[in-house]
């Protein structure tokens, strides 16, 4: 396939097995990186790996945080950098066919002229391939759902090199098992995705952003939940804690100074009238929960500025890392009525352990994130972080929640998945895995062990 | 388990293997019907069937039309009539835990007081168990999606009698394979569902109904697609053809006389202002496509009357069957841009074959139904109906569509599923089936053959 299609350079191997964004880096690296240029080439490469029983690890944006693309058993990293094309845009059908290394942000730039957009918005560097792998979501999920709700079909190279297409292109179907939905979120452990058809949504006529602060995280969380429970159709509800708001000020990554209090960020979207309506409805709820004055913006530039703190949250936090500094970013999700309590308890524990961490959540989905900075050279500090994360996950599972709302299991949450589901469902997953990948070559060591 | 828990009476067997609504009735019947009263009892019954290698066929509402609960290999029908309870309502979390024989209409009656509803609306006699089995939907799908989007978790009795719960209760998760989504739509071929947690939605503040006629099905279809493409947030868009409207008049099942032309029925839902907005927007699109005056209603009683033709469509049609009369109801779905052509071509063929059938569609999803009445005692008439359905499905598949948008495969569409997906995806489905049901006892003969 040519010399360009493979690399064994140390630097390249490191870039594909280690990531400074990841909460879980390990000692081993892939032994090679390959760069398929087509589904057929990918299939040939898989057949070679099968012949020599070499692990296969798909790689696109490399922005996942739970060690989802790390190489615990060595193996070959399949980097899709050569497959970053938009293959077909069906504007009238409101769908698009893309390759794995298409960035969702670039995609949206290109869709603008057609009045369409792809509503799933994880981290800005994420690419569609990995977004399928982890069933990601983001701030828009409260209105538009998660990745699995937007995939029409997948072209997949199976462990034996066979290529299948899970569906044709209907927006709705009841024809046989939902294979599309099975591959979405399977983190490359059942096959490698090489082509994806995505549903698209019409760009709303009008959007708006609103921001409001509260005396406590509990008050903020309760407000968010009441907005959802009332069915006010918001575009997003994000919660940021006082630490996070302070970090944004400290780093100075936005054009203004923010109040360092628990804060809710809202997005609104719809017709001009309905956005006005929704803002007024939310303002009422905010007031009844003791929120500050409700600041909102409707012009494009004003909206961008008001949303900037939310946008810069993670990057501001990570920019504070010093030499030897590590970050641990992780998420859980719980039923709506438990979010306020979850947030409060986690905040107390983080403070009690003396950790420096921020909290942020897609709170309308019951989905909640912690990002903790620590000194990677001090084992006792790492131990505290582990305890903090473990306790958060236990608490979430105890509330009938999940150990991950949108990041996936990867390496980092295998033990939690066991705790969450018990052996029965895990054995069903194992049986499915074994039936499709008998030599356990597809991204081995992720989600569950053999 | 007591004498009440099993029946072998002829009449009971017939009622569980034959249905006058079904397009596919066969000669064989189940050899017994059992009535589990709990998940544990169901598990014991499955173990007995496993011991004697007897097929297991789940049964709840019995309203499916593709032979989904028929008994081609005999076996035991598991009727969940004793398991029709709402087990837990979590109003603050907006979810509910139910048993399989809960009717979605009864459920919505009980939820009203809490300001919540379950938005999936198939035929009125459908029950949640079967709705999970076929991944059903209905008129609300264009706004709310299909069954798979509303199931939080499932309790499933596997083929060996083991009981698993696919998830806890988060509204959002990325934790391992989406087993919930795999069991939804698997028509009982991978396990028997005994408990279901469903998401609920807040009841909208305001609703409205609109009706408009067109000179042709193509014009009506084009109007519907433009409404969707513009992102006007309608609650439903249904298309009914002139034959269907005529049948409703002939049967007299509503309080008024309708124009016998291609007709679109709209539902609107939202705040008071947004419903007004949406009606005005739709009226503009209607006008530009040469629709009649747009009649709409907002009072509860007026809405009911204006929607009554849509509601009575199928029942009016079926009530015209004479002695020996059979009906064949079936559905397909295609990408949005192809719907108008699909509808037009199918209409022409039905007329050319001299068949008496009506057309109706959830057209905002590209999902389209035909109901044909014929004399079951005349093989040549049956042959014509078969040709008509076959051609419709081929056409839909050729348009990158699916052989069923919401009814499932059952017995009736196995050959079409092969045509739609090809051998690759079907072999993946077979591998999964075999890994979970090695003796092929769970609803055998459905979706695909061994």
């Amino acid at each position: 396939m040519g010399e360009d299609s493979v690399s064994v350079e140390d630097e390249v191997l490191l870039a594909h097995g280690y990531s400074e964004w990841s909460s879980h880096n390990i000692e081993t690296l892939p032994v090679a990186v390959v760069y398929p240029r087509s589904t057929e080439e990918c299939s040939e490469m898989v057949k070679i790996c099968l012949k020599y029983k070499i692990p296969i690890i798909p790689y696109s944006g490399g922005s996942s945080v739970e060690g989802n693309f790390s190489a615990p058993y060595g193996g070959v990293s399949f980097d899709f950098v050569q497959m970053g094309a938009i293959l077909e845009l069906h504007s009238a059908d409101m769908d698009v066919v893309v390759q794995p290394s298409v960035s969702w942000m670039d995609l949206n730039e290109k869709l603008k002229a057609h009045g369409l957009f792809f509503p799933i918005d994880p981290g800005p560097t994420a690419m569609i391939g990995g977004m399928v792998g982890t069933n990601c979501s983001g701030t828009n999920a409260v209105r538009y759902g998660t990745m699995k709700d937007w995939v029409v079909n997948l072209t997949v190279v199976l462990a034996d090199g066979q290529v299948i297409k899970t569906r044709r292109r209907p927006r709705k179907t009841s024809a046989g098992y939902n294979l599309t939905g099975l591959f979405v979120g399977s983190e490359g452990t059942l096959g490698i995705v090489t082509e994806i058809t995505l549903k698209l949504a019409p760009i709303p006529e009008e959007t708006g952003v609103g921001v409001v602060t509260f005396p406590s995280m509990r008050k903020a969380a309760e407000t968010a939940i009441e907005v959802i429970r009332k069915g006010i159709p918001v575009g997003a509800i994000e919660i940021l804690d006082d630490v996070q708001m302070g970090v944004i000020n400290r780093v100075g990554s936005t054009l203004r100074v923010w109040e360092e209090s628990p804060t809710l960020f809202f997005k609104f979207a719809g017709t001009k009238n309905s956005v006005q309506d929704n803002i007024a409805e939310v303002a009422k709820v905010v007031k009844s929960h003791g929120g500050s004055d409700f600041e909102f913006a409707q012009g494009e530039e004003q909206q961008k500025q008001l949303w900037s703190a939310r946008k810069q949250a993670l990057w501001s936090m990570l920019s504070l890392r010093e030499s030897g500094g590590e970050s641990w970013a992780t998420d859980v999700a719980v039923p709506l009525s438990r979010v306020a309590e979850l947030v409060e308890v986690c905040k107390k524990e983080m403070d009690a352990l003396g950790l420096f961490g921020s909290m942020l959540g897609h709170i309308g989905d019951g989905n909640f994130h912690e990002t903790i900075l620590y000194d990677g050279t001090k084992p006792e500090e790492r131990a505290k972080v582990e305890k903090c994360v473990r306790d958060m996950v236990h608490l979430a599972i105890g509330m009938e929640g999940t150990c991950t709302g949108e990041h996936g299991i990867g390496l980092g949450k295998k033990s939690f998945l066991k705790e969450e589901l018990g052996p029965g469902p895990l054995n069903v997953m194992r049986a499915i895995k074994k039936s499709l990948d008998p030599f356990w070559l597809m991204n081995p060591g992720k989600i569950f062990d053999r």
Side-chain angles (χ1 to χ4, degrees), chain A:
Chain A
M1 298 177 208
E3 281 193 10
D4 288 356
S5 61
V6 60
S7 173
V8 291
E9 280 176 47
D10 284 350
E11 211 169 298
V12 172
L13 301 182
L14 186 69
H16 288 78
Y18 170 89
S19 155
E20 62 165 353
W21 310 119
S22 178
S23 311
H24 300 275
N25 281 303
I26 54 174
E27 292 298 312
T28 53
L29 293 176
V31 297
V33 177
V34 294
Y35 303 96
R37 279 162 299 200
S38 68
T39 298
E40 294 64 39
E41 217 171 75
C42 181
S43 163
E44 286 310 308
M45 288 167 168
V46 165
K47 283 178 191 163
I48 294 167
C49 288
L50 174 65
K51 184 170 171 192
Y52 297 102
K53 306 287 179 292
I54 299 168
I56 292 163
I57 307 156
Y59 181 98
S60 58
S63 57
S64 59
V65 296
E66 297 291 357
N68 314 65
F69 60 84
S70 62
Y73 302 105
V76 176
S77 177
F78 279 55
D79 184 335
F80 284 89
V81 66
Q82 302 288 343
M83 293 178 69
I86 297 174
L87 300 176
E88 297 167 28
L89 171 59
H90 305 112
S91 172
D93 297 327
M94 300 201 292
D95 67 49
V96 66
V97 184
V98 301
Q99 290 184 316
S101 282
V102 165
S103 135
W104 68 270
M105 291 191 75
D106 286 353
L107 178 64
N108 279 339
E109 275 306 312
K110 281 168 191 148
L111 292 171
K112 251 187 201 165
H114 302 268
L116 293 167
F117 80 116
F118 179 66
I120 309 299
D121 62 335
T125 55
M127 290 175 178
I128 303 293
M131 290 163 66
V132 168
T134 56
N135 184 30
C136 78
S137 38
T139 70
N140 294 337
V142 67
R143 187 187 195 101
Y144 290 98
T146 64
M147 199 66 193
K148 70 176 167 27
D149 304 316
W150 291 85
V151 180
V152 174
N153 66 48
L154 295 170
T155 300
V156 183
V157 178
L158 298 177
D160 61 0
Q162 195 194 153
V163 177
I164 64 161
K165 188 167 169 182
T166 57
R167 288 276 171 221
R168 292 185 183 225
R169 249 182 352 101
R171 277 176 95 78
K172 173 172 149 182
T173 178
S174 281
Y177 301 169
N178 183 6
L179 297 184
T180 312
L182 180 63
F183 285 108
V184 175
S186 65
E187 302 189 17
T189 63
L190 297 176
I192 296 196
V193 170
T194 59
E195 230 176 88
I196 307 104
T197 304
L198 299 169
K199 289 187 197 179
L200 301 172
I203 296 176
E205 181 186 293
E206 180 78 4
T207 56
V209 167
V211 174
V212 56
T213 60
F214 290 87
S216 70
M217 284 297 272
R218 177 176 276 267
K219 281 283 169 200
E222 283 172 358
T223 303
I225 299 310
E226 192 177 325
V227 167
I228 296 299
R229 187 58 184 74
K230 287 202 152 182
I232 307 170
V234 291
I237 311 188
E238 300 285 304
I239 193 171
L240 274 67
D241 74 348
D242 51 335
V243 175
Q244 180 68 66
M245 296 308 292
V247 164
I248 293 161
N249 283 339
R250 201 162 128 199
V251 173
S253 49
T254 70
L255 295 171
R256 58 183 270 183
V257 177
W258 304 83
E259 193 184 317
E260 298 183 10
S261 298
T263 306
L264 286 182
F265 287 78
F266 291 89
K267 276 196 223 169
F268 302 93
T271 59
K272 279 190 204 312
N273 287 339
S274 69
V275 166
Q276 292 293 357
D277 251 29
N278 299 338
I279 290 175
E281 290 290 315
V282 170
K284 268 188 238 162
V285 179
V286 161
K287 202 161 180 193
S288 74
H289 286 272
S292 69
D293 280 349
F294 191 36
E295 185 182 0
F296 56 92
Q298 275 189 266
E300 195 179 341
E301 198 44 47
Q302 291 91 318
Q303 283 188 52
K304 220 181 246 177
Q305 279 193 29
L306 202 51
W307 191 257
S308 63
R310 171 61 191 87
K311 198 180 160 103
Q312 295 301 325
L314 182 60
W315 317 110
S316 300
M317 194 69 192
L318 294 180
S319 75
L320 287 182
R321 281 185 295 185
E322 287 158 13
S323 159
E326 301 274 350
S327 71
W328 191 315
T330 197
D331 83 318
V332 294
V334 295
L336 293 179
S337 67
R338 310 302 300 274
V339 178
E341 186 189 341
L342 174 78
V343 168
E344 197 173 54
V345 174
C346 290
K347 181 111 190 120
K348 268 189 201 149
E349 169 154 28
M350 204 191 275
D351 291 345
L353 285 167
L355 292 170
F356 181 66
S358 65
M359 292 184 165
L360 175 160
H362 311 310
I363 193 147
D365 298 317
N367 184 198
F368 174 69
H369 296 238
E370 276 185 3
T371 304
I372 309 173
L373 301 188
Y374 66 101
D375 185 339
T377 63
K378 292 188 184 155
E380 70 281 9
E381 224 178 279
R382 166 94 189 178
K384 273 188 197 173
V385 178
E386 277 175 12
K387 176 172 164 46
C388 187
V389 169
R390 199 168 53 233
D391 290 352
M392 173 171 85
V393 175
H394 285 169
L395 188 64
I397 292 175
M399 290 173 166
E400 294 190 73
T402 177
C403 66
T404 172
E406 57 182 26
H407 292 169
I409 298 295
L411 278 180
K413 286 195 165 161
K414 286 192 287 188
S415 66
F416 296 134
L417 183 63
K418 257 190 237 174
E419 187 183 331
E420 181 180 330
L421 298 180
L426 271 171
N427 285 336
V428 171
M429 292 183 198
R430 266 189 205 100
I432 292 170
K433 163 87 172 164
K434 212 175 156 186
S435 74
L436 299 182
D437 179 20
F439 300 105
W440 219 270
L441 296 179
M442 309 306 279
N443 208 5
K446 311 302 164 59
I447 305 182
F448 47 78
D449 290 311
R450 204 157 182 166

